[in-house]
Amino acid sequence: MTPRVAMRRRSAEEEVAQTEPTEKGNDGKNQNNRIYLLVSLSLFFWALLLCFHFSVLGSSSTNIPKQQIQLQPSSYADPQSPPSISLRVDKFPLPPPKEREPLLPPPPPPSTETFKSPKPKEEEFSFLRALKTSENKSDPCGGKYIYVHDLPAKFNEDMLRDCKKLSLWTNMCKFTTNAGLGPPLENVEGVFSDQGWYATNQFAVDVIFSNRMKQYKCLTNDSSLAAAIFVPFYAGFDIARYLWGYNISTRDAASLELVDWLMKRPEWEIMRGKDHFLVAGRITWDFRRLSEEETDWGNKLLFLPAAKNMSMLVVESSPWNANDFGIPYPTYFHPAKDSEVFEWQERMRNLDRKWLFSFAGAPRPDNPKSIRGQIIDQCRNSKVGKLLECDFGESKCHAPSSIMQMFQGSLFCLQPQGDSYTRRSAFDSMLAGCIPVFFHPGSAYTQYTWHLPKNYTTYSVFIPEDDIRKRNMSIEERLLQIPPEQVKIMRENVIKLIPGLIYADPRSELETLKDAFDVSVEAIIDKVTRLRKNMIEGRTEYDNFVEENSWKYALLEEGQREAGGHVWDPFFSKPKPGEDSSSEGNGGTTISADAAKNSWKSEQRDKTQ
């Protein structure tokens, strides 16, 4: 038994001996695997921690708030790889790190320039091509082109064909001959020169200006080149037909049709009409009806929204509105060449003037504020004054030769207000080389700012109406205070102004001189050009523009952008509702309907001419 038991024991021990090394080997492998797993987990944990750390720092430094941070696979990761691991940190927010102050240059000093609206892009403006024509120095018309609308004949030529209806009292047919100049004047008394003198009606500027435009050197059929656009509507002739005995619908009809026609044109869209201009040979009040009452005067052309964008040239403008501009009344002299002007100027220099002052006109007994009665009395009572009375039945006052002869023999010509602010007589007197004496700034100084110097003392004398009305100043004594040498200088200045105050013969053209037409067109072009440049720059021409102060802006010095108080404010204070328009403050002027109706009284007197 023993050997067998021993043998069994050895067999069992051998089995144990054989199995022990295997089990020990397995134990070693398992232990290594655990170590590897721990190391892997540790590395993975640190990798996650680092990714998490940099993700939070990154989001803080760029100031982009995030409620959760995700660890996304790289951009070059396999698109078929398993979804990325996401760690939510919104429940365990970390305090954001302190932001570093960026290293920036110091801020610039505050600007002293006035704030300007953002500058528009140049390509937004359709008129750029027109503006750039002035840059072409080889083009004599660069920046001067005028485009003329081809209006239907009912707005102009048809009125001339039916000329008998243009005035209730005057047969205008003879005054529309010779391109609007009227019949030639004979130089029987030697008052005129031998050529260029016509019996021109004071309301004929519509047709004279339009015919002058036909001779303008820089006309264009391409509106994109135009510095301005002319509308050849005979606005003055139109309203003259219907002022008496017609309802407001008839008076307004042509104006409404014209505006409707213009607004459908492509040229209108470029600046909504702000580059358009037209001419009316009447005072502005004929086109400013204030109501829709049948008894109110005139039409409402200048109050139409579209017309407010246009510029209207009239022989008398409103001091309180910005869409009309004063141009001279036509005189009797319409030269065809420069030499005719030079000969006339030289003749005016050499005349013997025996009268200190003179006045041609009639009293205004219906206007208690008028100073005409006092002026007439002073002329009658002075040994150095000359009077030409123009009341009914006095035909000499309506004879051009009688008027011009008196003005040529006078040093000073008195020009009080007419039926409105202005008078044709002022231009007739300056044509004669006579120094004008004005009593209201609205008679010339605020009216004809394109044609007369801003410094009115160089060519005229100003005596405020109240000095005559209230203080009964002696006009003779006032004028005698001016030294003879100064009188000579002033008269020379008046004579130099003559070319720009007359309208040349529309059928020809002056060689070098600029007449009233040329001056007006240049002023309109300059106005439109400034507006276009201001639009490109995103600015306005004036600060805090007040339309009721329109008369002040042309008097501003260069660089001034705002109109303040003015010494002439009392002359232009508008009557308040219910206040007599001839009351103190407006210099005795009756405005609007009253002024316009009174001008027709003068026209009725002119029928005896």
Side-chain angles (χ1 to χ4, degrees):
M1 291 290 296
T2 302
R4 187 175 292 178
V5 173
M7 184 176 275
R8 285 181 182 168
R9 189 176 294 166
R10 274 198 303 267
S11 298
E13 287 176 359
E14 285 175 1
E15 281 183 274
V16 172
Q18 288 175 359
T19 58
E20 275 182 359
T22 303
E23 289 178 0
K24 286 181 181 179
N26 289 337
D27 288 344
K29 289 181 180 179
N30 291 336
Q31 191 170 14
N32 289 337
N33 288 337
R34 283 197 293 270
I35 292 172
Y36 294 150
L37 179 61
L38 287 174
V39 172
S40 300
L41 289 174
S42 176
L43 291 174
F44 184 73
F45 172 77
W46 283 106
L48 287 177
L49 189 59
L50 289 172
C51 290
F52 169 76
H53 175 72
F54 287 113
S55 297
V56 172
L57 283 182
S59 65
S60 298
S61 63
T62 55
N63 290 324
I64 303 175
K66 291 186 179 179
Q67 296 303 318
Q68 80 178 31
I69 297 175
Q70 293 185 347
L71 296 178
Q72 300 290 350
S74 333
S75 59
Y76 48 81
D78 185 355
Q80 296 182 352
S81 61
S84 60
I85 300 175
S86 174
L87 295 181
R88 291 186 174 274
V89 297
D90 51 333
K91 291 184 180 180
F92 309 100
L94 294 175
K98 282 189 178 180
E99 291 185 31
R100 297 184 189 176
E101 300 230 357
L103 297 176
L104 297 175
S111 173
T112 56
E113 293 184 1
T114 306
F115 173 76
K116 296 179 181 178
S117 56
K119 186 176 177 181
K121 295 180 180 179
E122 286 196 2
E123 57 266 22
E124 296 176 5
F125 301 104
S126 303
F127 51 72
L128 281 177
R129 187 177 177 218
L131 273 181
K132 290 180 179 178
T133 60
S134 61
E135 300 173 5
N136 184 0
K137 303 305 179 183
S138 63
D139 182 2
C141 288
K144 301 177 185 177
Y145 286 107
I146 296 290
Y147 177 83
V148 180
H149 274 300
D150 185 14
L151 295 180
K154 64 181 177 180
F155 293 120
N156 40 52
E157 295 302 321
D158 284 354
M159 297 184 202
L160 300 184
R161 295 188 188 101
D162 205 10
C163 54
K164 291 182 180 180
K165 296 181 179 179
L166 294 180
S167 175
L168 185 61
W169 299 291
T170 304
N171 181 3
M172 291 294 293
C173 292
K174 67 176 182 178
F175 293 112
T176 60
T177 60
N178 293 311
L181 304 182
L185 288 173
E186 295 182 7
N187 191 22
V188 177
E189 300 178 37
V191 176
F192 314 125
S193 47
D194 293 333
Q195 296 173 330
W197 290 80
Y198 298 84
T200 305
N201 185 274
Q202 66 174 337
F203 299 122
V205 171
D206 303 58
V207 64
I208 294 174
F209 202 98
S210 291
N211 284 325
R212 279 284 284 115
M213 184 62 76
K214 293 174 184 177
Q215 302 297 325
Y216 184 64
K217 293 180 180 179
C218 296
L219 295 178
T220 178
N221 291 324
D222 185 351
S223 61
S224 69
L225 296 176
I229 296 177
F230 180 57
V231 182
F233 173 48
Y234 294 164
F237 285 170
D238 169 55
I239 189 58
R241 299 178 294 179
Y242 305 123
L243 279 172
W244 296 98
Y246 292 88
N247 59 30
I248 59 176
S249 297
T250 303
R251 284 180 260 159
D252 291 339
S255 298
L256 293 171
E257 288 181 42
L258 173 75
V259 166
D260 181 66
W261 188 91
L262 289 173
M263 293 177 68
K264 292 177 180 177
R265 299 289 300 174
E267 294 82 10
W268 182 269
E269 292 301 319
I270 295 175
M271 294 183 70
R272 307 298 295 171
K274 292 182 179 179
D275 53 355
H276 285 50
F277 72 105
L278 66 160
V279 175
R282 303 196 66 85
I283 61 177
T284 189
W285 315 114
D286 288 336
F287 310 98
R288 293 189 179 279
R289 191 180 70 245
L290 298 174
S291 75
E292 295 301 301
E293 296 293 330
E294 293 290 344
T295 55
D296 208 348
W297 181 261
N299 66 24
K300 60 180 180 182
L301 171 59
L302 284 174
F303 283 136
L304 296 177
K308 287 184 178 182
N309 283 351
M310 295 190 284
S311 299
M312 188 155 164
L313 312 188
V314 288
V315 292
E316 177 178 315
S317 63
S318 164
W320 309 298
N321 298 97
N323 60 334
D324 57 359
F325 302 87
I327 59 173
Y329 285 86
T331 65
Y332 303 110
F333 185 38
H334 305 281
K337 49 188 177 181
D338 287 4
S339 60
E340 295 176 15
V341 181
F342 297 143
E343 290 170 8
W344 178 257
Q345 287 176 302
E346 192 60 28
R347 180 178 170 185
M348 294 304 100
R349 289 186 180 101
N350 298 322
L351 286 176
D352 180 25
R353 300 177 185 267
K354 60 182 179 179
W355 304 108
L356 176 65
F357 63 95
S358 63
F359 173 63
R364 292 293 184 267
D366 296 336
N367 183 0
K369 296 295 180 180
S370 174
I371 63 172
R372 283 190 170 212
Q374 291 165 282
I375 287 176
I376 290 172
D377 288 342
Q378 290 202 32
C379 286
R380 285 174 175 162
N381 297 329
S382 173
K383 294 181 180 180
V384 291
K386 174 69 175 173
L387 175 65
L388 188 63
E389 294 191 72
C390 299
D391 213 344
F392 286 101
E394 184 63 51
S395 60
K396 281 188 177 181
C397 188
H398 304 293
S401 59
S402 298
I403 296 172
M404 293 302 295
Q405 189 173 38
M406 184 184 72
F407 288 159
Q408 289 174 25
S410 306
L411 289 174
F412 297 94
C413 293
L414 308 184
Q415 301 296 343
Q417 295 183 75
D419 301 297
S420 57
Y421 287 127
T422 62
R423 328 174 58 206
R424 170 186 177 155
S425 174
F427 295 96
D428 289 334
S429 67
M430 286 189 279
L431 175 61
C434 186
I435 301 168
V437 180
F438 295 111
F439 302 86
H440 192 290
S443 296
Y445 307 146
T446 64
Q447 285 286 343
Y448 310 108
T449 57
W450 294 346
H451 300 79
L452 296 174
K454 189 178 294 184
N455 184 0
Y456 60 87
T457 63
T458 61
Y459 69 92
S460 71
V461 176
F462 179 57
I463 302 176
E465 286 181 332
D466 277 352
D467 285 355
I468 307 298
R469 184 186 300 115
K470 294 182 178 180
R471 291 175 277 278
N472 199 28
M473 172 188 282
S474 168
I475 297 173
E476 179 180 332
E477 291 180 5
R478 170 70 177 85
L479 297 178
L480 285 173
Q481 293 173 0
I482 305 174
E485 192 60 33
Q486 182 64 25
V487 173
K488 185 177 179 180
I489 294 172
M490 294 172 71
R491 182 169 67 249
E492 177 61 24
N493 289 337
V494 170
I495 293 172
K496 287 180 178 178
L497 289 173
I498 289 175
L501 302 179
I502 58 176
Y503 295 92
D505 191 325
R507 296 161 297 187
S508 58
E509 58 185 358
L510 302 179
E511 294 88 357
T512 61
L513 297 175
K514 294 178 181 178
D515 71 341
F517 168 87
D518 294 317
V519 173
S520 301
V521 170
E522 283 189 4
I524 281 290
I525 289 175
D526 184 57
K527 174 180 178 289
V528 175
T529 301
R530 290 198 315 271
L531 175 59
R532 287 173 170 176
K533 290 181 178 179
N534 286 336
M535 290 173 66
I536 292 174
E537 295 294 328
R539 65 188 179 195
T540 57
E541 185 164 6
Y542 301 110
D543 296 330
N544 305 314
F545 180 80
V546 179
E547 186 172 16
E548 194 168 316
N549 292 333
S550 293
W551 63 272
K552 297 182 181 182
Y553 290 95
L555 306 178
L556 294 178
E557 297 298 329
E558 188 174 353
Q560 283 186 280
R561 290 182 52 84
E562 192 163 358
H566 197 283
V567 67
W568 289 338
D569 281 339
F571 288 96
F572 297 106
S573 58
K574 291 182 71 174
K576 297 176 182 178
E579 183 182 351
D580 181 6
S581 63
S582 62
S583 63
E584 202 70 47
N586 66 351
T589 300
T590 56
I591 62 170
S592 192
D594 292 335
K597 287 177 181 176
N598 288 335
S599 73
W600 276 90
K601 293 179 183 177
S602 294
E603 191 165 344
Q604 188 176 12
R605 290 194 292 269
D606 289 345
K607 71 179 180 179
T608 60
Q609 183 175 339

